[in-house]
Amino acid sequence: MYNLKRFLTMTVVAVLLAACGNSTAKAEGADDTAGSDSIVSMKPTDDKFVELHTSVGDIVVRLFGDTPRHQANFIKLVNEGFYDNVLFHRVIDQFMIQTGDPDSRTAQPGQMLGSGGPGYEIEAEIVYPRHFHHRGALAAARQGDQTNPQRRSSGSQFYIVTGAKVSPAMMQRLQEQFAFSDKQNEFQRLASAQMDKIRTMQMQGDTAGLNRLQREIIAQVEAKFAGQPEKKLPQDVVDAYISEGGAPHLDGAYTVFGEVVSGMETVEKIEKAQTDSHDRPTQDIRILKAKVIDYKGAAAPDSTSTSAAK
């Protein structure tokens, strides 16, 4: 098992980086987040289905009703034709395929892609471990923690996980990480509340004070969780990663808001495409048309269109 002090101490750097990134995000992108009442106050809804008709085959995805902001935004973009003719611009074998950059529609061969979007972001809806990065999971791309500590999702870019099978030994390490995740989050919360004090000590070179504060926070965490049973990953998560594979290192950090229900063979074709040094397929692979469908695959009525903030 992990040493609690060593495990929690590692989050100090993350807390400091997140704080720095947070100030940058507020200064440069405060108006870029989709945060209207139509999104923020949304309640869970029924699952919806979207068909991605690509240049190499069709993919049908389920959009989870318990990630309503992401579901509503995705359907909004589909109904607007936003995804029509965009490229799969980032493809990594045994990891994932990514698309949703509007700049890719007219991209020249070799052009760097991945920065485009609709001009806003979506609040994170991380529902882990209920939704995890198993093979076929649909998740939102985003900027890194340093500039995006709230883990807000890209307004349009998403990826489908392919991944690789996870060994039992690796799953054991993931179990240990998961067991400590609540403690790590509590440590980060307490450390964030002391951020001004931590920064002052850093500026003064007060190493002894920083170590003392760290010990105090760890003691608070240990006291809060004393006597509580160890948290464990659900068995279906463990079984899925061992038997089918995925990308468990992304769990809890990115919003998983759907999954492939049909067309994994198409996903695999894209996954195996030859790519350049920037992971872009050398032969363009596009979403030709995206549309909302009902469970049987027929076009859904117009009433399925859901409004989202622009």
Side-chain angles (χ1 to χ4, degrees):
M1 297 295 284
Y2 284 4
N3 176 276
L4 178 62
K5 180 176 180 180
R6 182 180 64 188
F7 185 74
L8 294 182
T9 299
M10 293 171 62
T11 66
V12 172
V13 174
V15 169
L16 291 170
L17 289 175
C20 294
N22 190 30
S23 61
T24 301
K26 286 183 178 178
E28 297 180 355
D31 295 328
D32 293 336
T33 302
S36 73
D37 291 341
S38 63
I39 293 295
V40 173
S41 63
M42 288 194 66
K43 307 264 189 231
T45 183
D46 294 335
D47 292 352
K48 301 290 195 310
F49 296 85
V50 169
E51 180 183 71
L52 305 175
H53 176 53
T54 83
S55 54
V56 295
D58 294 342
I59 304 168
V60 177
V61 296
R62 179 201 314 272
L63 306 177
F64 298 138
D66 57 359
T67 54
R69 297 184 184 93
H70 285 71
Q71 184 196 77
N73 181 68
F74 198 87
I75 290 175
K76 166 187 174 289
L77 295 179
V78 166
N79 287 335
E80 291 176 350
F82 186 94
Y83 290 119
D84 297 354
N85 293 312
V86 298
L87 295 177
F88 285 91
H89 66 270
R90 185 168 179 245
V91 171
I92 302 176
D93 189 23
Q94 294 191 317
F95 181 30
M96 58 93 223
I97 63 173
Q98 185 170 330
T99 184
D101 182 349
D103 297 340
S104 68
R105 289 194 191 94
T106 57
Q108 298 300 308
Q111 179 180 332
M112 286 283 291
L113 296 167
S115 299
Y120 59 82
E121 295 174 322
I122 303 295
E123 282 188 49
E125 293 180 297
I126 298 171
V127 190
Y128 176 70
R130 184 189 309 158
H131 302 322
F132 59 102
H133 283 80
H134 62 85
R135 183 172 177 80
L138 171 72
R142 66 173 178 85
Q143 293 185 343
D145 285 357
Q146 280 189 263
T147 57
N148 179 27
Q150 297 88 0
R151 295 175 171 173
R152 296 186 301 265
S153 299
S154 163
S156 63
Q157 291 195 41
F158 65 92
Y159 58 94
I160 296 173
V161 176
T162 55
K165 291 183 179 180
V166 180
S167 69
M170 176 59 74
M171 279 309 309
Q172 179 59 36
R173 289 194 288 274
L174 292 171
Q175 283 275 28
E176 292 172 352
Q177 292 175 10
F178 184 69
F180 276 103
S181 60
D182 285 349
K183 296 175 183 177
Q184 185 179 27
N185 290 337
E186 178 65 9
F187 180 93
Q188 184 161 344
R189 185 186 70 81
L190 293 171
S192 294
Q194 300 270 7
M195 190 52 58
D196 290 342
K197 188 175 183 180
I198 290 172
R199 284 177 176 150
T200 299
M201 289 179 175
Q202 282 185 316
M203 292 176 63
Q204 295 174 346
D206 186 2
T207 302
L210 285 168
N211 289 335
R212 184 171 57 254
L213 179 59
Q214 177 181 285
R215 290 193 297 270
E216 291 173 359
I217 294 175
I218 289 174
Q220 292 177 52
V221 172
E222 289 177 325
K224 178 173 181 176
F225 291 94
Q228 294 189 18
E230 183 176 285
K231 189 172 74 168
K232 292 185 178 181
L233 281 171
Q235 192 59 43
D236 62 331
V237 175
V238 176
D239 293 342
Y241 278 137
I242 291 176
S243 63
E244 299 175 15
H249 64 286
L250 301 180
D251 283 340
Y254 293 76
T255 296
V256 176
F257 66 99
E259 63 185 357
V260 174
V261 296
S262 176
M264 273 304 293
E265 66 278 5
T266 299
V267 174
E268 290 166 2
K269 285 182 187 177
I270 301 171
E271 174 195 20
K272 301 301 181 183
Q274 183 177 352
T275 57
D276 63 18
S277 59
H278 301 297
D279 301 317
R280 175 179 164 182
T282 54
Q283 297 293 320
D284 288 347
I285 302 173
R286 297 182 182 274
I287 297 176
L288 301 176
K289 179 69 178 176
K291 63 179 180 179
V292 180
I293 61 173
D294 68 14
Y295 186 76
K296 296 179 181 179
D302 292 341
S303 60
T304 59
S305 178
T306 307
S307 177
K310 293 185 178 180

